[in-house]
Amino acid sequence: MERVVPWGELCALIEPEYPKGEGGRPAVPLERMLRIHFLQHWFNLSDPAVEEALYDSAAMRAFAGIDLGSEPAPDETTVCKFRHLLERNGLGTRLFQEVGRYLQNRGMKVSSGTIVDATIINAPSSTKNASGERDPEMHQVKKGNQWYFGMKAHVGVDKKTKLIHSVAATPANVHDGNMLPELLHGQETHVWGDSAYAGQTEMIEALAPAARDLTQKRGRGYRYLTPRQRIINRARSRVRAKAEHAIGVIKRIFGFTKVRYRGITKNANRLFVACALANLFMVRQRLLRMQGA
């Protein structure tokens, strides 16, 4: 990731909002803080945990450019303030967009096929905390025969490259189909999705006039799917599974299966950055080949 992440472009995006350290001790270099922030995503570390990891791991210190012989690692308060800076200025969304532009400039352009999907990110359902209540911005939803409490991450994934081009975060009880306007770029000729998006043909046509609705067919009530409809669903599932690759990077490799903060806004900021890093992770080998590795 040292060679894959466009450090210069991302730092230039944050630099106008980053404090200059005037009137007090010098500010920690911006790129160092961004590297530490990304380490938090890749290894699913809290603010105190990443401070401890920087003292424990020589590899992490080398990646962040920290020499303990001349300076300490940034403490958890400094890490927390940097995260709040990103949240306050909506920089998570802008980092995601900048990575998208960076990849498109290297030939990984958005195609005319979009796969829409959503996944639940769990939140603590216990009321044994300082406020005595669950996070009011999170909600519960029933999936299958099990109840979940948390938020929902909605993604629009490019069929050709498997890269995420659109992201949205909502409470878990928001229906997947309601978020289609946030996930389609409008130039699609094909749209894939699971049965949660069934019956949205009119909305798809309104958002992307040239698009064919290739979402999963769903039987209603006692009207079960015909053998032909099952064959169609299986064929569409093979395409739709590509969206699971991107979600798998975020949840299985980066470990983003539970929210870390209270409120949708903070966790949405984390989600946007995680999606940007997931895109870079999925095409890392191609980017390295472009550099002659």
Side-chain angles (χ1 to χ4, degrees), residues 31-107:
E31 185 173 324
R32 178 175 300 170
M33 292 307 304
L34 185 61
R35 286 169 178 264
I36 293 171
H37 185 66
F38 286 175
L39 285 172
Q40 288 185 275
H41 281 271
W42 292 324
F43 296 97
N44 194 25
L45 298 171
S46 65
D47 299 339
V50 76
E51 180 189 356
E52 183 177 347
L54 287 170
Y55 282 105
D56 289 344
S57 171
M60 286 191 180
R61 287 198 303 275
F63 180 80
I66 297 172
D67 179 5
L68 293 180
S70 59
E71 58 185 337
D75 59 25
E76 63 177 276
T77 302
T78 304
V79 173
C80 179
K81 287 181 177 179
F82 181 76
R83 175 170 52 80
H84 287 167
L85 173 77
L86 300 182
E87 295 163 358
R88 188 168 57 249
N89 293 284
L91 288 168
T93 305
R94 293 169 62 190
L95 289 172
F96 172 73
Q97 294 169 344
E98 182 60 36
V99 168
R101 283 191 289 269
Y102 173 78
L103 295 178
Q104 288 196 43
N105 290 338
R106 279 150 184 79

Side-chain angles (χ1 to χ4, degrees), residues 37 40-45 83 87 119-124 138 150-155 164 167-170 246-278:
H37 185 66
Q40 288 185 275
H41 281 271
W42 292 324
F43 296 97
N44 194 25
L45 298 171
R83 175 170 52 80
E87 295 163 358
T119 185
I120 296 170
I121 308 292
N122 295 313
M138 304 291 169
M151 63 176 269
K152 191 176 284 186
H154 306 262
V155 296
I164 302 169
V167 190
T170 66
I247 292 174
V249 171
I250 294 168
K251 299 187 75 173
R252 305 304 171 199
I253 296 179
F254 295 171
F256 189 7
T257 58
K258 296 181 180 179
V259 302
R260 189 176 297 283
Y261 318 110
R262 287 177 69 87
I264 293 293
T265 302
K266 291 182 178 181
N267 290 292
N269 184 81
R270 181 185 177 191
L271 175 64
F272 273 96
V273 177
C275 288
L277 295 176

